[in-house]
Amino acid sequence: MYQINFQNPIHIYFIGIGGISMSGLAEILLTEGFQISGSDRAPSDLTRILTQRGACVYYGQREENLTKDIDLIVYTAAIKPDNPELIAAKKMQIPTLTRAQLLGQMMKNYKTPVAISGTHGKTTTTSMISQILLEAGVDPTLSIGGVYKPIGGNIRVGSSEYFVTEACEYTNSFLSFLPKIGIILNIEEDHLDFFKDIQDIRDSFHRFALLLPEDGTLIINSDINQVEEITAGLSCRVITYGSSPSSDYSASQITYDAFGFPSFHLMHKDGKEEVFSLKVHGKHNVTNALASIALADVLDIPGDIVAKGLLSFGGTDRRFEYKGQLHGINIIDDYAHHPTEIRATLNAAKDYPHKKLWCVFQPHTYTRTKAFLDEFAKALSLADEIILADIYAAREKDSLGISSQTLQHKIEELGHSCYYFPSFEAIEDFLLKNCTKDDLLITMGAGNVVNIAENLLQR
């Protein structure tokens, strides 16, 4: 594998430079003096920022984009072997690294690299941890899988020993990482277009845990099924958090204020007790806070600073994000695209003041919709009214015989009414006619369903 010498900046070309993670890594390397170029399908806010900061960005991926002075090509898992630029790189004998391999090498430049993994909650927890570190004034470098407004994007370049990043299990990419501290939030079935089954996923997380050095630390949710299988054979320190009082960190006496924000008593295994309050909704965020507090303790951040950081954390884009109000209807947007995430979001919504709860759901990929059809139907039934948009295909081309109408029928079989419309415009028209004052409307999914919320607020 090609090894980068970070003391000797080179010219790196990114295939798919506009991706949320790729653009962030490119931005960090620009700050470190590297020459950066790359390509993507179309302009975006992320590519425009890179161009402003000195990167050369091409739109459309073509062989002629590659110049002879390029020293290294970086590409994502989404890039197929028949990509013209990847083919050209091999023809020109330019070394290549995957995005994950590059990120793993970048981690070696920091004394304390932290990787946050899990099927759900990575972006929120990474942002929550980031806010605590910013409150502590430790000047971290941050790579977040979503836009976090306090840092003006998804990346922050600091000058300290701390590097914090998300660690995604898809295509086993996080196995290329080199963290000193690892967090595992949860392990469930997902990405079944890559993994064979839940055991295959669990094996991947176990291998991730084994990456941690002897003087490193794993922070893991003890509610994970048979968690001892994931921690077996580790030489590093293991810290647990979860619902059981036998965990190193647990929460009790969870209460919610008039706006649905939780407060809780943090219970240490040694009997010590502290009180924390959040400005994000849902019991799942109390659990994310436990992981964040455990990390802060490992980094010796004082409790009062941690409390201030948690209280000032207002969430990230597309995670129970308040979009605005229309005719007295509160509109929220959320990225949830897995049954567990949907349940967490809709349960959180129950603590938010409202008369009727509407959910507009856009399923994400045919593979996921088919794998969790029954679970999606049950989770969505927590809403009072359900509207389905067409499936967002993302990287997939084969429908597998699945459509949103298939999911609609499953929901109706449970005795719950469900509406399906083939266009966003039809959905918006229906909502305008049927939502009333004091209702709560959530647009939900990992695709472009957020456009519905934004279009409504402009009408």
Side-chain angles (χ1 to χ4, degrees), residues 51 115 131 170 180 224 272 290 366 401 424 446 452:
T51 301
Q131 187 60 42
Y170 185 55
K180 177 77 173 291
I224 292 170
K272 181 184 173 186
L290 292 179
Y366 303 107
F424 282 4
I452 292 174

Side-chain angles (χ1 to χ4, degrees), residues 336-347 350 357-363 369 372-389 404 407-408 410-412 414 416-419 442-445:
H337 56 285
H338 183 282
T340 299
E341 298 165 351
I342 293 169
R343 282 193 298 273
T345 298
L346 294 180
N347 279 323
K350 290 184 177 182
L357 175 58
W358 294 76
C359 178
V360 178
F361 180 61
Q362 180 187 46
T369 306
F372 300 113
L373 195 63
D374 291 336
E375 292 87 345
F376 276 127
K378 292 173 185 175
L380 288 165
S381 295
L382 291 170
D384 297 315
E385 301 287 352
I386 307 161
I387 301 171
L388 299 178
S404 288
L407 178 56
Q408 179 189 23
K410 279 288 181 183
I411 293 170
E412 290 172 341
L414 295 175
H416 203 301
S417 64
C418 178
Y419 305 92
I442 301 180
T443 55
M444 182 183 289

Side-chain angles (χ1 to χ4, degrees), residues 23 48 81 129 131 154 265 290 350 355 418 456 458:
S23 62
R48 281 188 280 270
I129 287 166
Q131 187 60 42
N154 70 307
H265 287 237
L290 292 179
K350 290 184 177 182
K355 185 169 64 177
C418 178
L456 284 171
Q458 292 172 6

Side-chain angles (χ1 to χ4, degrees), residues 57-99:
V57 180
Y58 300 95
Y59 297 108
Q61 294 174 343
R62 299 174 294 272
E63 179 177 352
E64 53 266 31
N65 292 345
L66 302 192
T67 55
K68 292 181 179 179
D69 64 326
I70 294 170
D71 300 297
L72 176 67
I73 301 279
V74 176
Y75 63 98
T76 70
I79 300 301
K80 305 301 181 187
D82 61 354
N83 180 278
E85 293 182 347
L86 199 55
I87 292 171
K90 291 178 181 177
K91 188 191 302 182
M92 297 168 69
Q93 296 185 318
I94 303 173
T96 62
L97 290 176
T98 65
R99 178 201 66 85

Side-chain angles (χ1 to χ4, degrees), residues 86-274:
L86 199 55
I87 292 171
K90 291 178 181 177
K91 188 191 302 182
M92 297 168 69
Q93 296 185 318
I94 303 173
T96 62
L97 290 176
T98 65
R99 178 201 66 85
Q101 289 169 337
L102 170 64
L103 184 48
Q105 291 196 26
M106 290 173 70
M107 283 183 167
K108 292 191 291 186
N109 276 344
Y110 298 86
K111 183 179 176 182
T112 310
V114 180
I116 295 95
S117 72
T119 314
H120 325 291
K122 292 185 292 294
T123 297
T124 296
T125 308
T126 304
S127 301
M128 191 179 279
I129 287 166
S130 298
Q131 187 60 42
I132 292 170
L133 295 177
L134 293 171
E135 192 71 44
V138 298
D139 196 21
T141 295
L142 308 170
S143 178
I144 303 172
V147 173
Y148 186 47
K149 287 186 175 67
I151 63 172
N154 70 307
I155 212 77
R156 179 188 189 275
V157 181
S159 58
S160 73
E161 67 184 64
Y162 300 104
F163 179 84
V164 179
T165 184
E166 291 185 33
C168 182
E169 75 276 14
Y170 185 55
T171 68
N172 285 326
S173 63
F174 64 177
L175 299 185
S176 296
F177 290 8
L178 295 169
K180 177 77 173 291
I181 301 171
I183 297 177
I184 300 179
L185 301 170
N186 38 63
I187 304 174
E188 293 191 39
E189 283 185 308
D190 200 8
H191 300 304
L192 294 176
D193 57 327
F194 175 76
F195 293 109
K196 292 181 293 185
D197 51 31
I198 184 59
Q199 192 54 52
D200 192 21
I201 297 169
R202 288 173 61 85
D203 289 344
S204 184
F205 276 95
H206 178 54
R207 290 162 64 194
F208 170 73
L210 288 170
L211 295 173
L212 294 164
E214 190 173 343
D215 62 344
T217 302
L218 174 67
I219 299 168
I220 188 167
N221 188 342
S222 59
D223 293 335
I224 292 170
N225 185 40
Q226 295 179 308
V227 69
E228 64 279 356
E229 288 185 358
I230 309 301
T231 59
L234 299 186
S235 59
C236 65
R237 175 168 57 153
V238 176
I239 295 173
T240 60
Y241 70 93
S243 60
S244 171
S246 63
S247 302
D248 295 313
Y249 296 82
S250 61
S252 69
Q253 302 181 55
I254 302 172
T255 59
Y256 298 88
D257 66 16
F259 300 99
F261 295 130
S263 294
F264 63 95
H265 287 237
L266 172 71
M267 310 302 293
H268 293 260
K269 195 174 182 179
D270 62 6
K272 181 184 173 186
E273 188 173 338
E274 298 174 87

Side-chain angles (χ1 to χ4, degrees), residues 4 24 34 106 155 278 313 376:
I4 300 172
F34 284 73
M106 290 173 70
I155 212 77
L278 306 180
F313 173 67
F376 276 127

